[in-house]
């Protein structure tokens, strides 16, 4: 029972950690992405459009060369290929657990074609064993970002002791290129309502949707056109500050973007059934020094 409780805690971290996990290794990932950018010039549009999260069309994936991505005394990670089905796209990897204890390995995010994409990947690997598995990404999320071809994937893995839930390792960001990388240019769909822009960072409301439980979501595109890593945060304001909050906080290396889904919660942590009237503001910080850069005026959904 103890193991199940600890494992559940780790999986909860994996499923909700897209924001928190974004903060480590930002200087490394910035250098990786700046050398391999596939995104074209960005032009902000003022056209409001609803976001379609029902398109599960598979992207063109090409192929990946089998290669060792990372190795130390704890773990070895090998890229094996890339596959896609009717729901998701998978980066196939082999993880070799070189430790004498069972571990849980998770990946809560990756950068695909310079887009931050969340993942719910987590898997258990017995001591001194290996596993062929796949880091999964929703095709609906990829299509929402207009990622129709996979060129570059950069990701990091975290490993936890299965019995104690102690963090054992975090890999640096690892990069895999497909054979299609040089055959296309990734574009950025900026259709939507420009909510705020400061320090070459834009926040664009792309539309509203809902999750599988029909909880409302506001889809916000964050575009970092600056030359530094930026931490983008948000919090409720005014009357909303005492009765509700939003889960928001993303590290964006220079030249990257993220399509994020904002949910509202009441003071007890229960998901709100509507975002209408919720007041909030955005905040920007330097991703390396954590100095405050700017705060928006109060905005309302």
């Amino acid at each position: 029972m103890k193991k199940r409780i600890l494992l559940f805690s780790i999986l909860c971290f994996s499923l909700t950690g897209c924001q928190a996990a974004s903060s480590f290794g930002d200087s490394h990932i910035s250098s990786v992405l700046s050398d391999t950018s596939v995104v074209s010039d960005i032009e902000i549009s003022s056209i409001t459009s609803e976001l379609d999260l029902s398109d599960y069309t598979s992207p063109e994936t090409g192929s990946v060369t089998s290669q060792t991505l990372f190795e130390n005394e704890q773990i070895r990670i090998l890229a094996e290929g890339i596959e896609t089905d009717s729901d998701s796209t998978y980066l196939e990897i082999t993880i070799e657990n070189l430790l004498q204890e069972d571990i849980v390995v998770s990946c809560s995010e990756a950068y695909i074609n310079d887009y931050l994409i969340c993942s719910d990947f987590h898997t258990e690997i017995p001591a001194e064993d290996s596993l062929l598995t796949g880091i999964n990404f929703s095709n609906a999320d990829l299509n929402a970002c207009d990622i129709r071809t996979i060129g570059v994937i950069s990701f990091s893995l975290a490993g936890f002791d299965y019995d104690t839930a102690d963090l054992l390792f975090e890999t640096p960001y690892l990069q895999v290129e497909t054979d299609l990388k040089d055959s296309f240019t990734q574009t950025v769909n900026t259709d939507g309502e420009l909510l705020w822009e400061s320090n070459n960072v834009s926040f664009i409301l792309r539309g509203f949707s809902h999750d599988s439980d029909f909880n409302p979501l506001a889809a916000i595109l964050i575009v970092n056109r600056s030359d530094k890593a930026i931490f983008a945060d948000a919090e409720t304001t005014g009357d909303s500050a005492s009765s509700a909050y939003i889960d928001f906080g993303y590290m964006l290396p220079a030249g990257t973007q993220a399509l994020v889904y904002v949910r509202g919660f009441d003071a007890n942590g229960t998901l709100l059934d509507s975002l209408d009237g919720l007041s909030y503001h955005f905040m920007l910080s330097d991703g390396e020094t954590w100095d405050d850069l700017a705060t928006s005026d109060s905005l309302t959904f």
Side-chain angles (χ1 to χ4, degrees):
M1 184 62 158
K2 172 187 175 185
K3 285 188 177 182
R4 290 187 178 184
I5 293 174
L6 288 171
L7 181 59
F8 176 77
S9 299
I10 291 172
L11 298 187
C12 287
F13 170 84
S14 300
L15 293 172
T16 60
C18 190
Q19 297 92 326
S22 302
S23 61
F24 68 82
D26 47 282
S27 59
H28 173 79
I29 187 64
S30 293
S31 63
V32 168
L33 292 174
S34 64
D35 292 338
T36 60
S37 178
V38 294
V39 174
S40 63
D41 292 337
I42 296 167
E43 181 178 353
I44 302 298
S45 170
S46 60
I47 302 173
T48 301
S49 61
E50 289 299 310
L51 186 67
D52 180 12
L53 295 180
S54 62
D55 181 3
Y56 284 88
T57 303
S58 298
E60 189 176 3
T61 58
S63 61
V64 168
T65 302
S66 297
Q67 58 191 288
T68 298
L69 298 175
F70 182 78
E71 182 176 2
N72 63 11
E73 69 279 359
Q74 298 171 307
I75 193 169
R76 183 182 296 116
I77 304 168
L78 301 92
E80 304 286 5
I82 186 168
E83 296 290 340
T84 187
D85 59 26
S86 59
D87 295 317
S88 300
T89 294
Y90 303 86
L91 175 63
E92 294 183 327
I93 59 173
T94 294
I95 304 175
E96 298 180 8
N97 179 10
L98 306 180
L99 298 168
Q100 295 182 356
E101 57 257 32
D102 298 348
I103 62 173
V104 172
V105 178
S106 70
C107 175
S108 61
E109 65 177 23
Y111 291 88
I112 301 180
N113 299 359
D114 298 345
Y115 262 104
L116 185 152
I117 302 290
C118 294
S119 175
D120 61 359
F121 171 78
H122 47 269
T123 188
E124 176 192 353
I125 306 175
E128 299 182 317
D129 202 353
S130 65
L131 178 69
L132 174 62
T133 184
I135 301 176
N136 59 302
F137 305 99
S138 165
N139 288 341
D141 285 350
L142 297 177
N143 287 317
C145 296
D146 283 341
I147 297 176
R148 311 294 178 176
T149 304
I150 306 296
V152 181
I153 302 175
S154 299
F155 67 99
S156 176
L157 297 179
F160 303 85
D161 187 293
Y162 181 73
D163 290 313
T164 66
D166 292 337
L167 177 66
L168 298 175
F169 61 82
E170 290 176 339
T171 72
Y173 273 85
L174 312 174
Q175 182 172 291
V176 176
E177 297 182 2
T178 76
D179 60 348
L180 301 177
K181 174 184 176 294
D182 298 323
S183 67
F184 76 103
T185 299
Q186 176 69 50
T187 59
V188 180
N189 184 350
T190 56
D191 284 352
E193 178 186 352
L194 180 60
L195 299 173
W196 183 54
E197 191 169 31
S198 179
N199 290 269
N200 286 319
V201 180
S202 303
F203 295 80
I204 303 165
L205 179 62
R206 289 277 283 112
F208 293 93
S209 189
H210 55 78
D211 60 20
S212 58
D213 295 321
F214 292 93
N215 298 302
L217 304 173
I220 295 178
L221 175 67
I222 311 172
V223 181
N224 180 11
R225 294 175 294 167
S226 73
D227 59 358
K228 65 177 68 176
I230 294 291
F231 185 75
D233 202 358
E235 64 181 12
T236 52
T237 60
D239 293 338
S240 298
S242 60
S243 60
Y245 67 93
I246 55 179
D247 187 15
F248 197 97
Y250 298 89
M251 181 71 74
L252 277 78
T256 63
Q257 42 276 322
L259 185 66
V260 301
Y261 306 121
V262 178
R263 295 170 172 85
F265 301 82
D266 66 19
N268 297 319
T270 302
L271 282 163
L272 300 178
D273 57 12
S274 175
L275 295 175
D276 289 344
L278 191 67
S279 298
Y280 63 98
H281 63 207
F282 294 116
M283 297 166 288
L284 293 177
S285 303
D286 187 297
E288 294 184 1
T289 67
W290 294 101
D291 291 337
D292 294 336
L293 297 177
T295 300
S296 74
D297 294 333
S298 182
L299 304 165
T300 302
F301 285 120

